[in-house]
């Protein structure tokens, strides 16, 4: 159904307002994580928590969104897309409001990461369906383009906007503004007309549970390891076993002619399989970089949120520019070739950043490597979605897009968690070894200092650590600060190996793409890259 009669010329004022409101909702979803990334040190100082705790919350939010997006797409079909859209906005607003009022990390984990992540997984599929149902024919291209542009702009300016608000006002103000925007969007919900679901109402409960346990077990295992918890191997093993069982269950349900959580026949398309793999590896690259780089700027260089945002701008702005240019001017170039170039540039850029980490005292030295990385990621953004969905039939393209989005969100959460976990493991090992081999620190104090550094120093800049070790002899204080600096930089270098490895695996995957023939999309793919 449509808000305007079929064949009508330009949209009504109401439909133009609806497009703007949908774009505003998407802007909030994308800018939210950017705000969190550049505010890590401010949140740590304000709540008295740890950087690893904030990192875990960021990874958990992406994981919840990934684990539930396929399930909540079906929930939206059953309860109504408009209702799912409203519930998603309310959940996201709850998370943003919790950030505004939070006094502990637990509030962030429960309300921002879990409730907000569930909101995102409801909101994205519902938004896509509502655009498709509220606009008809060629008029659909305008809202899809506007919402897509809103997401791209939010990704580009998010670090700058978040840095400015955090530095000159407060990180809480940024999240409060999100609540205000969502309230405005909800106040105009009457403009949205619901879209009835006419497909099967069967629910694959077993498949849904296995998918959540599978993705959740793998990433939660890494997060528990990151926080020094127990049963890490058990959690990860449960996750892997659940994913294997999910694959078998989907095949069994398909053979029984019952509706599965997702159609396993999608993976019979080699373009779809390699494309989903590329999407996941691209997001692992991005997630790993967006854990290590903000910490480098805020902890090693001791930048405030605005300086950190400005330092990340070469990556985010070139990513936006490359995606726009490549999307419009790819011409006769093969999508697989552009994807190969994207992974190559992203790998080169990350590879150039790694040796700079312990050697530079300004973000200016990283402008070129980050710009190269951003160009590579932008090329991937411009091509991967269309490449992945091109061979999929019209009646299954929406489902395929959901799988693609879930793979991307899972990759992001995995990259965030794995880079953070490896960073802390390297940090703990480095602190212990350097402290025990020090000739300055008395032997009686080495074990005590090593234990303290294993737990606390990873969240501290040199200045903050100096405040924590007052009372020690000057030479001991200087040695501990030097250990902190060396171990932190080494751990950041190790963490950056995660996005580098993901980029190289993506490059290898792109050569398989090149061996496949190009595909002409079987249906319109407008709007299927939302989220």
């Amino acid at each position: 159904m449509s808000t305007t009669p079929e064949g009508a010329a330009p949209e009504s004022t109401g439909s133009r307002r609806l497009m703007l409101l949908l774009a505003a909702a998407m802007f909030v979803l994308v800018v939210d994580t950017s705000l969190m990334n550049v505010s890590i040190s401010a949140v740590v100082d304000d709540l008295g928590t740890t950087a690893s705790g904030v990192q875990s919350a960021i990874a958990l939010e992406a994981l919840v969104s990934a684990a539930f997006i396929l399930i909540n797409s079906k929930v939206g079909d059953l309860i109504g897309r408009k209702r799912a859209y409203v519930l998603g906005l309310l959940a996201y607003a709850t998370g943003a409001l919790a950030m505004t009022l939070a006094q502990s990390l637990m509030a962030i984990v429960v309300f921002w990461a879990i409730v907000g992540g569930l909101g995102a997984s409801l909101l994205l599929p519902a938004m896509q369906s509502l655009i498709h149902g509220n606009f008809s024919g060629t008029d659909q291209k305008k809202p899809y383009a506007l919402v897509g542009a809103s997401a791209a702009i939010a990704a580009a300016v998010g670090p700058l906007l978040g840095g400015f608000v955090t530095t000159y006002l407060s990180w809480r103000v940024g999240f409060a503004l999100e609540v205000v925007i969502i309230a405005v969007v909800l106040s105009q919900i009457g403009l949205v007309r619901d879209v009835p679901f006419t497909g099967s109402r069967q629910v694959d409960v077993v498949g849904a549970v296995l998918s959540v346990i599978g993705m959740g077990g793998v990433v939660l295992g890494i997060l528990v390891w990151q926080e020094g918890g127990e049963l890490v191997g058990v959690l990860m093993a449960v996750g892997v076993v659940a994913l294997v069982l999910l694959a078998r269950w989907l095949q069994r349900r398909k053979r029984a002619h019952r509706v599965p959580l997702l159609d396993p026949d999608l993976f019979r398309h080699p373009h779809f399989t390699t494309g989903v793999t590329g999407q996941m590896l691209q997001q692992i690259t991005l997630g790993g970089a967006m854990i290590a780089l903000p910490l480098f700027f805020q902890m090693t260089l001791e930048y405030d949120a605005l300086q950190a945002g400005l330092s990340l701008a070469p990556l985010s702005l070139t990513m936006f520019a490359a995606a726009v240019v490549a999307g419009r001017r790819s011409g006769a170039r093969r999508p697989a070739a552009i994807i190969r170039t994207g992974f190559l540039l992203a790998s080169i850029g990350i590879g150039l950043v790694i040796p700079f980490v312990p050697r530079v005292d300004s973000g200016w030295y990283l402008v070129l490597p980050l710009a190269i990385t951003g160009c590579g990621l932008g090329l991937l953004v411009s091509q991967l979605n269309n490449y992945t969905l091109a061979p999929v039939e019209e009646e299954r393209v929406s489902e395929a897009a959901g799988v693609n989005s879930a793979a991307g969100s899972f990759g992001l959460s995995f990259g965030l968690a794995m880079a953070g976990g490896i960073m802390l493991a390297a940090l703990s090992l480095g602190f212990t070894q350097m402290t025990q081999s020090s000739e300055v620190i008395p032997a009686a104090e080495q074990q005590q200092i090593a234990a303290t550094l294993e737990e606390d120093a990873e969240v501290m800049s040199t200045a903050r650590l100096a405040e924590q070790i007052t009372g020690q002899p000057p030479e001991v204080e200087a040695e501990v600060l030097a250990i902190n600096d060396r171990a932190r930089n080494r751990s950041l270098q190790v963490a950056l190996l995660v996005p580098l490895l993901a980029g190289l695996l993506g490059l290898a995957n792109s050569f398989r793409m090149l061996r496949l023939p190009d595909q002409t999309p079987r249906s319109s793919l407008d709007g299927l890259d939302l989220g």
Side-chain angles (χ1 to χ4, degrees), residues 190-253:
L191 293 172
V192 179
R193 301 177 66 180
D194 205 355
V195 181
F197 176 65
T198 58
S200 171
R201 303 184 74 84
Q202 291 184 36
V203 178
D204 182 3
V205 177
V206 174
V209 171
L210 288 174
S211 70
V212 172
I213 294 175
M215 287 188 277
V218 172
V219 177
L220 284 177
I222 299 171
L223 293 178
V224 170
W225 169 52
Q226 179 175 313
E227 293 299 316
E230 300 178 353
L231 302 177
V232 174
V234 173
L235 282 171
M236 296 188 71
V238 168
V240 172
V241 169
L243 290 175
V244 172
L245 291 176
L246 174 63
R248 294 185 177 181
W249 172 259
L250 295 175
Q251 293 285 359
R252 176 182 174 183
R253 195 168 173 91

Side-chain angles (χ1 to χ4, degrees), residues 108-360:
I108 295 177
V109 170
V110 172
F111 294 103
W112 182 79
I114 297 178
V115 176
L118 287 171
S121 66
L122 269 173
L123 186 56
L124 288 169
M127 184 183 297
Q128 179 179 302
S129 297
L130 289 174
I131 293 176
H132 191 77
N134 279 260
F135 301 86
S136 63
T138 57
D139 285 344
Q140 286 181 355
K141 293 184 177 181
K142 295 180 181 179
Y144 279 137
L146 185 60
V147 172
S150 175
I153 292 170
V157 306
L160 297 173
L161 183 61
F164 177 84
V165 171
T166 300
T167 300
Y168 291 106
L169 296 171
S170 167
W171 60 273
R172 297 179 186 273
V173 172
F175 290 101
L177 291 174
E178 291 184 13
V179 177
V180 172
I181 294 173
I182 293 174
V184 172
V185 173
L186 286 172
S187 71
Q188 302 296 308
I189 196 63
L191 293 172
V192 179
R193 301 177 66 180
D194 205 355
V195 181
F197 176 65
T198 58
S200 171
R201 303 184 74 84
Q202 291 184 36
V203 178
D204 182 3
V205 177
V206 174
V209 171
L210 288 174
S211 70
V212 172
I213 294 175
M215 287 188 277
V218 172
V219 177
L220 284 177
I222 299 171
L223 293 178
V224 170
W225 169 52
Q226 179 175 313
E227 293 299 316
E230 300 178 353
L231 302 177
V232 174
V234 173
L235 282 171
M236 296 188 71
V238 168
V240 172
V241 169
L243 290 175
V244 172
L245 291 176
L246 174 63
R248 294 185 177 181
W249 172 259
L250 295 175
Q251 293 285 359
R252 176 182 174 183
R253 195 168 173 91
K254 178 77 173 179
R255 287 194 298 267
H257 303 290
R258 303 184 67 188
V259 177
L261 177 68
L262 59 96
D263 189 348
D265 288 345
L266 286 171
F267 295 93
R268 295 182 184 276
H269 296 291
H271 290 78
F272 182 80
T273 303
T274 55
V276 166
T277 302
Q279 180 83 353
M280 184 172 64
L281 290 170
Q282 179 226 345
Q283 290 296 319
I284 293 175
T285 303
L286 179 61
M290 293 311 293
I291 276 293
L293 292 172
L295 283 176
F296 171 69
F297 292 128
Q298 294 175 73
M299 298 297 177
T300 297
L301 301 185
E302 301 189 26
Y303 280 0
D304 61 28
L306 179 58
Q307 291 172 313
L310 288 169
S311 298
L312 288 170
L315 188 152
S316 60
L317 293 178
T318 54
M319 182 175 172
F320 170 69
V324 171
V325 172
R328 293 179 177 177
R329 301 186 179 181
S330 56
R333 296 178 182 86
R334 294 189 64 194
I338 298 175
I339 291 170
R340 179 185 58 183
T341 303
F343 275 117
L344 178 62
L345 290 176
S347 301
I348 290 173
I350 295 294
L352 290 174
V353 169
I354 292 174
F356 276 112
V357 167
R359 297 177 173 85
V360 301

